[in-house]
Amino acid sequence: MVLRIIGLDPGLNHTGWGVIDVAGGRYSVVESGVIHVPKGELSSRLGHIVRELTSVIERTSPTLAAAERVFVNVNPQSTLRLGQARGAALVAADLAGLTVEEFTPSEIKEAATGTGKADKEMIQRMMGLLLGIERTLQADEADALACAVCCANAVKLRAVERTGGTTRPYATARRGRSASGARSAWTALVTKKGDLP
């Protein structure tokens, strides 16, 4: 069975998106890109994001969407603008009937690179390597693909949990209570399975 996920990296100036297929433990890119939002009134900019993402979703037919959770940063204005763009992206996904999974920035970075402190360049390089993309990925595009990969990992781990293939401590750690517990449970699972699930 193939799971098709669209990762979203919303921004009021640039909104990244990436669609991947997940089958048998392998990832492959379907399409990815960046929506460059024209200057203008806020309503028209948000509408542009909704329309463009709607077109992408209609063309690629994903079955699930993934997005980064928003945290308040030092600049409240930047947080507000990001939240507005994110709202537009989530609306586009919902109008298409997609469930949206949400992940923290550190969860996405760790899924993409193995460390929750990766920088933009590291994510770009790792997504290119993981998905066999030879061209240089735009930063927002790579972030969206990383979000989709994070979602794919979470879906697979939940499936393993349901079959009894891992312990509940991992599930608890995965929800943010213990990063070291998550790593040790993940290591034990990989060792037991002999490969990534």
Side-chain angles (χ1 to χ4, degrees), residues 119-183:
D119 59 19
K120 294 275 188 185
E121 184 179 352
M122 191 173 183
I123 293 171
Q124 287 171 273
R125 293 182 65 186
M126 287 303 295
M127 287 301 94
L129 289 170
L130 179 64
L131 298 170
I133 303 170
E134 295 183 0
R135 65 181 173 83
T136 301
L137 292 166
Q138 298 176 72
D140 300 300
E141 178 183 19
D143 287 348
L145 288 167
C147 191
V149 167
C150 181
C151 182
N153 289 346
V155 169
K156 287 193 291 182
L157 286 171
R158 284 198 296 267
V160 172
E161 286 174 8
R162 284 194 298 272
T163 62
T166 188
T167 59
R168 292 308 300 169
Y170 176 74
T172 300
R174 181 169 55 79
R175 291 175 176 87
R177 297 185 188 173
S178 167
S180 61
R183 282 192 296 275

Side-chain angles (χ1 to χ4, degrees), residues 16-152:
W17 58 273
V19 182
I20 65 170
D21 279 345
V22 185
R26 295 183 181 274
Y27 306 139
S28 59
V29 66
V30 178
E31 279 188 54
S32 61
V34 175
I35 298 165
H36 299 291
V37 184
K39 301 295 182 186
E41 294 295 323
L42 177 62
S43 59
S44 64
R45 298 177 81 183
L46 296 177
H48 183 80
I49 294 170
V50 172
R51 288 188 295 274
E52 291 297 310
L53 282 178
T54 297
S55 176
V56 168
I57 292 169
E58 288 176 351
R59 184 171 69 249
T60 58
S61 301
T63 52
L64 186 61
E68 183 179 302
R69 284 196 184 106
V70 172
F71 291 90
V72 176
N73 60 29
V74 177
N75 186 334
Q77 187 66 26
S78 295
T79 303
L80 177 62
R81 290 161 62 90
L82 176 60
Q84 291 167 327
R86 185 173 177 276
L90 297 184
V91 165
D94 183 72
L95 289 174
L98 298 177
T99 298
V100 181
E101 301 252 357
E102 299 180 73
F103 303 93
T104 66
S106 59
E107 284 175 327
I108 294 168
K109 290 175 182 179
E110 189 160 354
T113 67
T115 174
K117 297 183 178 181
D119 59 19
K120 294 275 188 185
E121 184 179 352
M122 191 173 183
I123 293 171
Q124 287 171 273
R125 293 182 65 186
M126 287 303 295
M127 287 301 94
L129 289 170
L130 179 64
L131 298 170
I133 303 170
E134 295 183 0
R135 65 181 173 83
T136 301
L137 292 166
Q138 298 176 72
D140 300 300
E141 178 183 19
D143 287 348
L145 288 167
C147 191
V149 167
C150 181
C151 182

